[in-house]
Amino acid sequence: MIEFNNICKTYQVARRGSGFGNAVKTLFKREYTTINAISNISFSIHDGEMVGYIGPNGAGKSTTIKILSGILTLDGGTCLVNGQVPWKDRKEYVRQIGVVFGQRSQLWWDIPVMDSFELLQAIYSIPVPRYRNNLDELTQLLNLEELLKTPTRQLSLGQRMRCEIAASLLHGPKLLFLDEPTIGLDAVSKIAVRDFIKRMNAEHKTTVILATHDMQDIEAITNRVILIGKGRKLLDGTLEDLRLEAEAAEPECKSPETSKDEKPEISEDGNPEILEDENSETLKDKGSKPDLDHIIARLYEKLNIM
């Protein structure tokens, strides 16, 4: 179980103007700006849950994942994962977690994928029978057999991401933290990754936290969503809760006004003809539901977090 209570995290970012003169000034005096990456965020996640963690760029998603991974420490609050503080006794803690950063690799670039897996076996001290069993299962589920002898640098992005996910699960972690795991993947690769994550959750009760901008991933994988913005938690609920919140944010549609002298044009069937503006969305088919991307965009606008 994950318990995240009143977590705060700030960064000091150096600022300076352009030009040689300002560059020289920074040698003697630097100006810093404090960035509140996370401000009093609290949530709890039970074993076996699959949670989407969403928000605009700079909202604090990756910072949260890094805190849960033990990479960053806190400025305030408490964080417990299965009774452990992530950044304390890290060697023991990381045996329980798997982490995938879409733009970072845990595979060695110039050696075959199989060699990277064997290095990870040694790093995590995975017993040989367990390692072979997990490797066989992951190879079959992710279709890696043809990739194991290939150097990482020669893999396509989709192939590499499948290997990255396998690498994060070789030691059989109870928790899986995913930060943009399908970034840049084609449709076929995305579907394969989504199906695999759902299968691992169903068969091994793996707890999954998915931080992403891809709303199709959220809709396909998760059953709970936490929305954050500007370092604050804004919503915690189901996808249906998101839709209801977005509907509440949608301004009421007003019918176009006509002057007293104007008469609506009559169509051939005798009904008044409604003229639709190309740029207007108020007269679109009311039976069609907006997709999740539009729902999130409406919430961002309503909550003023862009």
Side-chain angles (χ1 to χ4, degrees), residues 185-302:
L185 300 190
D186 59 61
V188 174
S189 298
K190 283 186 177 184
I191 291 171
V193 169
R194 291 168 188 160
D195 289 345
F196 172 76
I197 293 169
K198 289 189 288 186
R199 183 166 179 174
M200 290 298 294
N201 174 261
E203 294 183 358
H204 301 282
K205 304 301 178 185
T206 305
T207 304
V208 178
I209 297 182
L210 172 63
T212 183
H213 293 292
D214 192 327
M215 293 301 107
Q216 290 182 339
D217 286 350
I218 295 292
E219 201 161 18
I221 296 173
T222 66
N223 44 36
R224 175 185 168 194
V225 176
I226 298 174
L227 172 66
I228 65 171
K230 295 182 178 178
R232 297 176 289 111
K233 186 177 79 169
L234 303 172
L235 189 145
D236 185 351
T238 64
L239 291 174
E240 187 59 30
D241 293 332
L242 278 182
R243 290 190 173 93
L244 292 174
E245 192 73 20
E247 287 175 7
E250 186 72 9
E252 293 184 3
C253 299
K254 296 182 179 180
S255 58
E257 296 181 358
T258 57
S259 66
K260 294 180 180 179
D261 297 332
E262 278 186 23
K263 293 183 179 180
E265 295 184 17
I266 305 300
S267 60
E268 294 179 358
D269 59 5
N271 294 321
E273 185 175 348
I274 297 176
L275 299 178
E276 183 174 341
D277 186 350
E278 290 181 355
N279 299 320
S280 173
E281 295 187 4
T282 60
L283 301 177
K284 286 187 178 178
D285 181 13
K286 299 297 180 183
S288 61
K289 289 186 177 181
D291 61 33
L292 205 51
D293 285 317
H294 285 85
I295 290 172
I296 296 300
R298 289 176 189 171
L299 285 177
Y300 287 175
E301 184 177 357
K302 175 192 175 184

Side-chain angles (χ1 to χ4, degrees), residues 52-304:
Y53 199 60
I54 62 176
N57 291 325
K61 301 186 299 298
S62 294
T63 298
T64 302
I65 297 296
K66 289 175 181 177
I67 290 172
L68 290 171
S69 304
I71 297 172
L72 296 177
T73 57
L74 303 178
D75 293 335
T78 58
C79 177
L80 289 176
V81 181
N82 293 333
Q84 291 183 298
V85 179
W87 53 91
K88 294 181 179 179
D89 193 17
R90 285 203 67 209
K91 286 186 177 180
E92 183 61 31
Y93 174 72
V94 296
R95 296 179 192 277
Q96 303 180 34
I97 67 170
V99 185
V100 177
F101 288 99
Q103 301 185 54
R104 300 286 186 275
S105 179
Q106 58 188 317
L107 303 173
W108 281 261
W109 196 244
D110 292 313
I111 64 176
V113 172
M114 190 65 187
D115 288 353
S116 290
F117 286 175
E118 290 178 355
L119 284 168
L120 290 169
Q121 179 207 1
I123 290 171
Y124 285 102
S125 301
I126 309 171
V128 174
R130 181 181 170 191
Y131 166 73
R132 288 178 178 170
N133 183 63
N134 289 348
L135 179 60
D136 289 344
E137 180 184 15
L138 292 167
T139 299
Q140 180 180 1
L141 292 177
L142 289 169
N143 193 22
L144 302 180
E145 189 172 357
E146 300 297 323
L147 308 179
L148 294 178
K149 297 180 181 180
T150 306
T152 302
R153 58 183 169 80
Q154 294 181 347
L155 298 175
S156 70
L157 181 58
Q159 292 171 335
R160 183 174 68 80
M161 286 310 303
R162 280 187 283 148
C163 294
E164 294 281 357
I165 292 172
S168 69
L169 292 168
L170 278 173
H171 55 295
K174 301 176 183 177
L175 300 168
L176 183 59
F177 303 133
L178 303 172
D179 191 354
E180 300 286 0
T182 63
I183 187 169
L185 300 190
D186 59 61
V188 174
S189 298
K190 283 186 177 184
I191 291 171
V193 169
R194 291 168 188 160
D195 289 345
F196 172 76
I197 293 169
K198 289 189 288 186
R199 183 166 179 174
M200 290 298 294
N201 174 261
E203 294 183 358
H204 301 282
K205 304 301 178 185
T206 305
T207 304
V208 178
I209 297 182
L210 172 63
T212 183
H213 293 292
D214 192 327
M215 293 301 107
Q216 290 182 339
D217 286 350
I218 295 292
E219 201 161 18
I221 296 173
T222 66
N223 44 36
R224 175 185 168 194
V225 176
I226 298 174
L227 172 66
I228 65 171
K230 295 182 178 178
R232 297 176 289 111
K233 186 177 79 169
L234 303 172
L235 189 145
D236 185 351
T238 64
L239 291 174
E240 187 59 30
D241 293 332
L242 278 182
R243 290 190 173 93
L244 292 174
E245 192 73 20
E247 287 175 7
E250 186 72 9
E252 293 184 3
C253 299
K254 296 182 179 180
S255 58
E257 296 181 358
T258 57
S259 66
K260 294 180 180 179
D261 297 332
E262 278 186 23
K263 293 183 179 180
E265 295 184 17
I266 305 300
S267 60
E268 294 179 358
D269 59 5
N271 294 321
E273 185 175 348
I274 297 176
L275 299 178
E276 183 174 341
D277 186 350
E278 290 181 355
N279 299 320
S280 173
E281 295 187 4
T282 60
L283 301 177
K284 286 187 178 178
D285 181 13
K286 299 297 180 183
S288 61
K289 289 186 177 181
D291 61 33
L292 205 51
D293 285 317
H294 285 85
I295 290 172
I296 296 300
R298 289 176 189 171
L299 285 177
Y300 287 175
E301 184 177 357
K302 175 192 175 184
L303 299 170
N304 192 27

Side-chain angles (χ1 to χ4, degrees), residues 6-27:
N6 298 316
I7 300 299
C8 297
K9 180 65 181 178
T10 60
Y11 296 108
Q12 294 287 329
V13 179
R15 304 287 190 188
R16 74 168 178 87
S18 60
F20 179 74
N22 286 315
V24 172
K25 287 180 183 179
T26 59
L27 296 175

